[in-house]
Amino acid sequence: MRLLTSTPPLAWTAAAWCTAALAGVAVPVLFMLVLLATSTPLALASGPIFTLGLMGVGIISAATAGHFWIGVVLALVNAACLIVLAHSLGMPALSHPASTALAMVIASGSFAARGALFAKTLSHRGWLMALFVVAGEASVLLLASVFPGALPDWFLALLPAQWASIAIQTALTGTGTAAAMSVLIALAGTAATTLLAARLWLHRWPYLLMFTAWLGLSALVYFWTAPTAPGADLAFNASAAAQAPPIVMALH
């Protein structure tokens, strides 16, 4: 505690922005390069990668700046840059651009809302809580992606990062918004209740509403989650191979 109070706020701010860049930009780019080196189509694994970019920048930026909209805007700008990079590395054009944009906007709002709440309740130390949340959910997201079935479905249904990953992946390789309706509702619902708790943070009842809504929306995701259509995955994979640049084709 002494370290937290004796460190100048400017140093904390610089560290927070560097952490946001590392977690939301550098790590997703590194994962893209790893997928490229292992000849894995980016489109089939980009949901977790884009989610990490949105979450890392959205939560930490909002917690650092203390403003919800700063987290949203920076997260979306970062996601757009990651999509451009993914295209340059061989990912084909988005099959459902409107669904992808909708999923990313709602996800960025959900993440930034938590960052704004951390800033309101923890002041300039809010980004530390944001970093803890990002590290924890990113670890679970990575484990679930690399080892499908290793974690129980009920546990994954509790994580907003998993909701965002499902929504984005479904938009990229599935049937679009309709198939991910439950997770989109969950992300929007948690964003609304979290913003309410941040606005009325001196009262207790918004927190009760926020946690109750989180559990209820987690149940919604658990009992009503439509997976990506298998046929869409295969078609998208074939399209990715056909449109990949020479460097990607050489790896195959």
Side-chain angles (χ1 to χ4, degrees):
M1 182 63 68
R2 182 178 303 173
L3 177 63
L4 293 177
T5 56
S6 61
T7 304
L10 182 60
W12 282 104
T13 301
W17 287 116
C18 290
T19 302
L22 177 64
V25 181
V27 174
V29 170
L30 177 62
F31 282 151
M32 285 188 189
L33 296 178
V34 170
L35 291 177
L36 183 65
T38 57
S39 302
T40 302
L42 284 176
L44 300 183
S46 53
I49 292 177
F50 293 152
T51 297
L52 179 56
L54 287 169
M55 181 171 61
V57 172
I59 296 182
I60 299 177
S61 295
T64 303
H67 295 286
F68 166 74
W69 289 110
I70 291 180
V72 172
V73 171
L74 291 180
L76 291 176
V77 170
N78 181 51
C81 293
L82 290 176
I83 290 176
V84 171
L85 176 61
H87 286 325
S88 69
L89 294 177
M91 190 179 81
L94 302 177
S95 57
H96 301 284
S99 296
T100 303
L102 178 63
M104 289 188 171
V105 168
I106 295 177
S108 65
S110 180
F111 294 140
R114 282 195 280 172
L117 177 62
F118 297 151
K120 180 74 72 172
T121 56
L122 298 174
S123 186
H124 67 273
R125 295 187 293 270
W127 73 273
L128 292 174
M129 178 59 72
L131 174 60
F132 175 78
V133 170
V134 170
E137 294 202 30
S139 299
V140 174
L141 197 62
L142 177 62
L143 181 61
S145 301
V146 176
F147 302 104
L151 298 173
D153 291 340
W154 65 264
F155 177 72
L156 294 176
L158 294 171
L159 301 179
Q162 179 70 7
W163 305 347
S165 180
I166 293 174
I168 295 172
Q169 192 66 58
T170 302
L172 290 172
T173 61
T175 55
T177 302
M181 188 60 67
S182 63
V183 290
L184 292 176
I185 292 174
L187 288 168
T190 53
T193 55
T194 303
L195 286 174
L196 178 63
R199 186 176 182 84
L200 303 175
W201 68 284
L202 293 178
H203 302 274
R204 293 183 178 180
W205 66 266
Y207 292 93
L208 178 61
L209 176 63
M210 180 180 67
F211 285 112
T212 302
W214 168 58
L215 292 175
L217 292 169
S218 297
L220 174 69
V221 171
Y222 180 74
F223 290 107
W224 181 35
T225 297
T228 303
D233 280 353
L234 296 176
F236 202 91
N237 194 3
S239 177
Q243 299 183 31
I247 185 173
V248 177
M249 295 301 295
L251 289 174
H252 287 279

